[in-house]
Amino acid sequence: MQTQERLNIAFATNNQTDLNQHFGSCEQFSIYSLSTADSEHLKSVEFIAQDGHNQQKINDRLQALQNCFAVYCLACGNPVRQQLLANGVRVVVHPKDEPIDDLITHIQRNWPGKIALRQQQQANKKEDAHYFASLADSEWDIES
């Protein structure tokens, strides 16, 4: 289990040094543990290249991201994005190829801080069996 001071972030890559792949067709994820002060490469997870869309390919990638806070990729389809969000993984679609080290530096300079903590607290609440019932019973904003 990761602590609140560190976030596990995955990058879709084909060379372990650059973010340069789409989510569903990536050859590997390079997964790092980040804090504001340092980063540690935890592992690289490789995938067998498969054309087209199939659920097993997506399931393999979802499994690899099990302990990640976010995944950076060049593209990700909406159905897959919804599956990732349902599993507590945020999707960051980056507009262009970029060195992973540069992205790590950018993340550290713009550390999510209170936002990340709030999101983690919300994710923890969703694990509570009564969370959705309490939402249904809470007040709703009604437009006049």
Side-chain angles (χ1 to χ4, degrees):
M1 184 173 152
Q2 62 190 43
T3 65
Q4 294 174 347
E5 295 84 28
R6 299 194 74 81
L7 297 175
N8 291 346
I9 309 290
F11 300 91
T13 183
N14 67 358
N15 62 14
Q16 296 187 27
T17 59
D18 298 298
L19 168 70
N20 60 6
Q21 299 272 282
H22 293 210
F23 180 86
S25 61
C26 71
E27 296 174 19
Q28 59 187 275
F29 288 134
S30 195
I31 301 174
Y32 289 80
S33 174
L34 306 179
S35 74
T36 56
D38 68 357
S39 65
E40 175 188 359
H41 181 258
L42 297 177
K43 62 183 174 179
S44 291
V45 181
E46 294 189 19
F47 304 104
I48 297 170
Q50 297 177 355
D51 289 333
H53 296 93
N54 72 62
Q55 191 57 46
Q56 186 57 49
K57 180 171 79 169
I58 301 305
N59 289 345
D60 292 344
R61 285 161 174 74
L62 291 172
Q63 181 68 27
L65 298 173
Q66 201 168 36
N67 294 316
C68 290
F69 178 79
V71 59
Y72 278 67
C73 55
L74 295 181
C76 182
N78 194 47
V80 173
R81 181 187 300 259
Q82 295 303 317
Q83 290 179 56
L84 286 161
L85 289 171
N87 284 295
V89 180
R90 287 99 184 130
V91 179
V92 179
V93 175
H94 197 67
K96 61 183 172 131
D97 293 13
E98 190 162 338
I100 291 172
D101 287 343
D102 291 354
L103 291 166
I104 288 172
T105 300
H106 178 77
I107 293 166
Q108 290 171 322
R109 285 185 183 153
N110 299 283
W111 190 252
K114 293 180 182 177
I115 294 171
L117 178 58
R118 186 177 75 231
Q119 289 175 336
Q120 185 60 47
Q121 290 168 340
Q122 289 171 344
N124 291 342
K125 284 181 188 176
K126 291 177 185 173
E127 293 175 6
D128 177 7
H130 304 290
Y131 174 72
F132 290 106
S134 67
L135 281 180
D137 293 339
S138 65
E139 289 187 33
W140 291 74
D141 291 336
I142 300 174
E143 292 183 23
S144 311

